[in-house]
């Protein structure tokens, strides 16, 4: 069921993983739908919590898959995190735990390297613990090191708190599953810079120069993508691909403005909204 929110949409925010691709393979009809949006001249931004690749790398993979996108179209959690750290923790020494090399998108951030044989009980040179995307790096030793820094007063910043994500082999654990333990053990609360934070959506709107009331967000995560966008005044569209689960949809604390079978149906939805029909 769709909620009563209609009106012409003048900009679109699009999640990548689970909406356009799964394991970087395009979903059926996604490339063609993106081409229709481009032909219509609609401003758009690809907004993603993906932390395993830089914006340039993401763009390269999408272009290889046939999507008509550029680096400037892509806004990532790491890029927004860099802005947050520069504004809220200038000159801080930051320890990053992340699966993948995203240093090129963390401009202006001082990252410290920790030696594997260093004594975590005596290290005192970390001001901010930064948690990115989960992977093999999230073992006991690494998480325990972060825990010790947090106990000594380091701030905790996380790029997102997604519990899982969709791969070609099914659902895999993501950062949120580990972040909950760190927060509870250290008795701290992480500052979240990616979706679903209001700051992330504000950055995306500013990136496009768009008004929330005339912008639509399409995603496969009902909480982090869709309902979070709606709380920021953005129209939300949930797609039944990627990490979408019927039980998560039913138990959500809100109702999406629109529900689509896939991203391929988005151009038709936008045309209906523009004509005032449903």
């Amino acid at each position: 069921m769709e909620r009563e929110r209609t009106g012409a949409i003048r900009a679109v925010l699009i999640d990548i993983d689970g909406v356009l691709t799964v394991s970087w393979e395009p979903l059926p009809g996604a490339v063609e739908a993106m081409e229709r949006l481009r032909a219509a001249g609609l401003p758009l931004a690809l907004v993603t919590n993906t932390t395993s690749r830089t914006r340039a790398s993401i763009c390269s993979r999408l272009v290889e898959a046939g999507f008509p996108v550029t680096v400037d179209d892509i806004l990532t959690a790491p890029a927004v995190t860099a802005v947050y750290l520069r504004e809220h923790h200038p000159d801080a020494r930051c320890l990053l735990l992340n699966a993948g090399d995203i240093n090129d998108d963390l401009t202006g951030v001082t990252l410290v390297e920790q030696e594997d044989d260093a004594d975590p009980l005596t290290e005192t040179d970390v001001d901010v613990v930064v948690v990115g995307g989960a992977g093999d790096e999230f073992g006991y030793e690494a998480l325990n090191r972060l825990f010790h820094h947090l106990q000594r007063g380091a701030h905790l910043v996380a790029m997102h708190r997604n519990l899982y994500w969709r791969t070609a082999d099914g659902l895999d654990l993501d950062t949120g599953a580990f972040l909950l333990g760190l927060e509870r053990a250290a008795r701290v609360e992480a500052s979240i810079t990616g979706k679903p934070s209001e700051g992330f959506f504000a950055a995306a709107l500013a990136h496009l120069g768009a008004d929330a009331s005339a912008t639509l967000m399409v995603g496969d995560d009902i909480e982090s993508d869709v309902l979070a966008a709606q709380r920021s005044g953005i129209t939300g569209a949930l797609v039944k691909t990627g990490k979408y689960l019927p039980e998560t949809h039913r138990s959500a604390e809100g109702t999406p403005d629109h529900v689509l079978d896939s991203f391929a149906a988005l151009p038709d939805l936008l045309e209906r909204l523009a004509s005032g029909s449903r």
Side-chain angles (χ1 to χ4, degrees), residues 77-129:
V80 174
T81 298
V83 174
Y84 177 87
L85 290 171
R86 292 196 301 267
E87 291 180 353
H88 295 271
H89 300 282
D91 303 319
R93 295 174 60 81
C94 302
L95 177 62
L96 172 67
L97 179 62
N98 181 66
D101 183 1
I102 55 173
N103 288 13
D104 286 349
D105 282 350
L106 296 176
T107 54
V109 177
T110 301
L111 297 177
V112 299
E113 298 290 339
Q114 298 290 331
E115 299 296 333
D116 291 339
D117 58 353
D119 183 355
L121 296 176
T122 61
E123 294 172 338
T124 59
D125 59 347
V126 172
D127 303 307
V128 182
V129 166

Side-chain angles (χ1 to χ4, degrees), residues 165-188:
W165 62 296
R166 173 73 65 179
T167 73
D169 298 321
L171 296 178
D172 281 358
L173 282 177
D174 209 342
T175 300
F178 303 95
L179 186 62
L180 288 169
L182 278 176
E183 289 179 310
R184 187 162 183 178
R187 298 182 181 181
V188 300

Side-chain angles (χ1 to χ4, degrees), residues 45 109 116 123 126 155 163-164 178 194 197 204 220 250-251 258 273:
V109 177
D116 291 339
E123 294 172 338
V126 172
H155 296 277
L163 293 172
Y164 50 82
F178 303 95
S197 72
D220 64 328
R250 288 192 297 268
S251 64
H258 305 281
L273 293 179

Side-chain angles (χ1 to χ4, degrees), residues 14-39:
I14 305 165
D15 184 32
I16 297 175
D17 191 37
V19 176
L20 301 180
T21 66
V22 169
S23 294
W24 299 105
E25 291 297 321
L27 288 167
V31 172
E32 293 78 8
M34 182 71 76
E35 290 172 342
R36 288 179 63 184
L37 296 186
R38 287 301 198 195

Side-chain angles (χ1 to χ4, degrees), residues 62-267:
L62 292 176
V63 169
E64 288 175 4
F67 290 98
V69 298
T70 68
V71 171
D72 288 339
D73 296 322
I74 299 170
L75 187 65
T76 66
V80 174
T81 298
V83 174
Y84 177 87
L85 290 171
R86 292 196 301 267
E87 291 180 353
H88 295 271
H89 300 282
D91 303 319
R93 295 174 60 81
C94 302
L95 177 62
L96 172 67
L97 179 62
N98 181 66
D101 183 1
I102 55 173
N103 288 13
D104 286 349
D105 282 350
L106 296 176
T107 54
V109 177
T110 301
L111 297 177
V112 299
E113 298 290 339
Q114 298 290 331
E115 299 296 333
D116 291 339
D117 58 353
D119 183 355
L121 296 176
T122 61
E123 294 172 338
T124 59
D125 59 347
V126 172
D127 303 307
V128 182
V129 166
V130 183
V131 181
D136 292 340
E137 294 83 355
F138 279 57
Y140 176 81
E141 183 177 349
L143 290 168
N144 199 41
R145 185 183 301 277
L146 301 191
F147 175 52
H148 286 299
H149 285 301
L150 294 174
Q151 288 182 91
R152 289 197 296 274
H155 296 277
L156 178 59
V157 173
M159 297 185 188
H160 61 79
R161 57 168 72 251
N162 297 348
L163 293 172
Y164 50 82
W165 62 296
R166 173 73 65 179
T167 73
D169 298 321
L171 296 178
D172 281 358
L173 282 177
D174 209 342
T175 300
F178 303 95
L179 186 62
L180 288 169
L182 278 176
E183 289 179 310
R184 187 162 183 178
R187 298 182 181 181
V188 300
E189 182 176 353
S191 297
I192 307 299
T193 53
K195 296 176 291 183
S197 72
E198 291 183 7
F200 186 92
F201 289 106
L205 292 173
H207 181 74
L208 290 178
D211 292 330
S213 61
T215 301
L216 181 143
M217 169 72 203
V218 55
D220 64 328
D221 187 319
I222 189 170
E223 297 291 346
S224 293
D225 291 337
V226 180
L227 298 182
Q230 291 176 190
R231 287 193 292 271
S232 292
I234 299 168
T235 299
L238 176 68
V239 292
K240 295 182 178 181
T241 55
K243 67 169 62 174
Y244 174 87
L245 295 172
E247 55 266 34
T248 304
H249 187 176
R250 288 192 297 268
S251 64
E253 296 184 355
T255 303
D257 293 317
H258 305 281
V259 180
L260 305 174
D261 286 336
S262 72
F263 181 74
L266 180 64

